[in-house]
Amino acid sequence: CCGCGQESCRHTARVMARSAQVAPVAAAAVALLGATAFLNSAPRVQAPVAPPASGRVLGAHPELLAEEPVFAEEAAAPADGAWSWAASVLSFGAALGLACGILAAEPAKAITAEQFSQLTYAQVKGSGLANRCPTVEASGSEVPVKPGSRLVNVCFEPKSFAVEFETDKGKEFATTKLTTRQTYTLAFIEGALEPNPITFREQDGMDFAATTVKLPDGEYVPFLFTVKELVATGEGSSFKPGFTWGGEFNVPSYRTGGFLDPKARGMYLGYDQAVALPALQADGKGGQEELFKETNKVFDLGKGAIEMEVNKVNQELGEIGGVFVSKQPSDTDMGAKAPRTILLKG
């Protein structure tokens, strides 16, 4: 009992037991308050209070044992240790998040066709390069076209999508948000090329891509971006910067005949209709036309037009590059809806 009386020892034991119970509670409270301070403002660091040298000093001065702040300050020491550990982890997480935000990968930059041909599938996969058209390094003044030539590896990469809609002032084009992932570029297109005038007839390649955009009011507009059977012409016998050419192309239906709608109706598969005959023939007037369009699936074939301008040529490699503006109809849901006009630039 440190040389003191029996009553003094019992008082010391009671206070020390109470301090053992207070310590974990105080540590938990300080840890929670420390976490809140980290989220709201910078944590306030207090200098730790040195604990007593030994139990003998406390036993020699029993009047100091009644002051509970001594034990609260002792409990704050392990809390500060716990906070320093939590602060280091949270600070590391915040720094890592900031570094990831700063070092986030940018969209893939276009490379030349020669550089792209040297990449393996593993190098292209996940890089975004598969959705980019190759760039052309300007060299020379023109690329002459000879009779019987072929234009190969033609690529169209749209950069903006606008949809025509009705307003109080008439028809206007609204900028849309692209919801399709990086699979909307047309590539590896080829066809016959003749001079005087320069005429390109599209014959093969990845010449269509199902694409969907979202209007500002939340409406989704699907369409089939394509240049199928394009016949583009331009005056001259060579490609040079400033050369303009264009033409029309066919726009197939967004969906084919084997598609089934949510009611299992299709053009040549599924049900002919999804409503009872008495309901269909009830009055023969109101709503029958709309219902007929939903039931009678058709394969719509539209027309589109494109204008192109050459702004770069590589005479040595026989490459040309430029910009385009294309206008085409959107999906009609196999005849159930009126098509919208899509304006693409790239």
Side-chain angles (χ1 to χ4, degrees), residues 276-284 288 291:
L277 283 175
L280 180 64
Q281 302 171 354
D283 56 3
Q288 295 305 308
L291 187 59

Side-chain angles (χ1 to χ4, degrees), residues 158-343:
K159 293 293 187 179
S160 66
F161 305 83
V163 177
E164 188 179 40
F165 69 104
E166 293 286 348
T167 65
D168 297 337
K169 300 179 181 180
K171 293 184 178 180
E172 295 182 0
F173 282 94
T175 303
T176 62
K177 177 182 179 182
L178 180 68
T179 59
T180 302
R181 295 194 176 186
Q182 297 186 7
T183 57
Y184 52 85
T185 295
L186 309 184
F188 308 111
I189 297 172
E190 61 180 75
L193 186 66
E194 297 291 339
N196 296 317
I198 290 180
T199 303
F200 170 67
R201 299 181 183 275
E202 191 270 340
Q203 296 172 336
D204 197 6
M206 299 174 61
D207 53 8
F208 68 94
T211 311
T212 302
V213 294
K214 185 178 181 180
L215 289 172
D217 61 359
E219 179 185 356
Y220 290 92
V221 181
F223 66 97
L224 192 71
F225 174 44
T226 181
V227 290
K228 273 188 173 296
E229 301 177 3
L230 168 66
V231 179
T233 60
E235 296 297 330
S237 60
S238 63
F239 292 109
K240 59 184 66 176
F243 176 80
T244 58
W245 55 324
E248 295 185 345
F249 54 88
N250 291 326
V251 182
S253 174
Y254 182 81
R255 297 185 174 96
T256 59
F259 172 78
L260 299 179
D261 68 4
K263 294 184 178 180
R265 297 172 297 191
M267 191 170 75
Y268 58 78
L269 292 178
Y271 297 113
D272 291 334
Q273 58 186 27
V275 294
L277 283 175
L280 180 64
Q281 302 171 354
D283 56 3
K285 296 180 181 179
Q288 295 305 308
E289 183 179 356
E290 181 179 354
L291 187 59
F292 176 78
K293 290 181 178 180
E294 287 282 353
T295 302
N296 185 38
K297 305 294 184 182
V298 296
F299 188 89
D300 284 329
L301 186 64
K303 280 286 186 180
I306 188 172
E307 290 291 334
M308 299 170 284
E309 180 180 354
V310 177
N311 55 24
K312 288 183 180 180
V313 297
N314 190 312
Q315 188 171 352
E316 181 181 359
L317 300 177
E319 297 178 346
I320 62 173
V323 295
F324 74 91
V325 177
S326 176
K327 182 183 290 188
Q328 67 170 78
S330 68
D331 173 45
T332 64
D333 198 11
M334 303 194 76
K337 301 177 181 178
R340 293 176 177 268
T341 301
I342 310 294
L343 184 66

